[in-house]
Amino acid sequence: MKGEILEIVWLESSGPPQAALEPRSIGFGSRLEQIISQSLGVDIARDWMPNGLSIRLFVPRGAIGD
């Protein structure tokens, strides 16, 4: 069905505080985000919280099959 979006939410907790992270560091998660975004046309939103990170993936239905 055209126009349908699947939302996937990933929650991480008990990681390093946001201030402890290097703003330009690229780790496994960042590389994975880039690959998924580019290959599937997925929109990704990050929300840093005091106790962790929330990542939302907005996946077009067509990217995962009919």
Side-chain angles (χ1 to χ4, degrees), residues 21 23 25 27 29-31 33 44-48 53-56:
L21 300 176
S25 67
S30 297
R31 288 189 180 109
E33 277 185 27
I44 300 172
R46 288 188 194 186
D47 182 24
W48 289 98
L53 170 65
S54 169
I55 299 175
R56 293 182 183 276

Side-chain angles (χ1 to χ4, degrees), residues 37-58:
S37 178
Q38 292 171 359
S39 63
L40 297 177
V42 172
D43 288 325
I44 300 172
R46 288 188 194 186
D47 182 24
W48 289 98
M49 301 171 292
N51 63 339
L53 170 65
S54 169
I55 299 175
R56 293 182 183 276
L57 305 173
F58 301 94

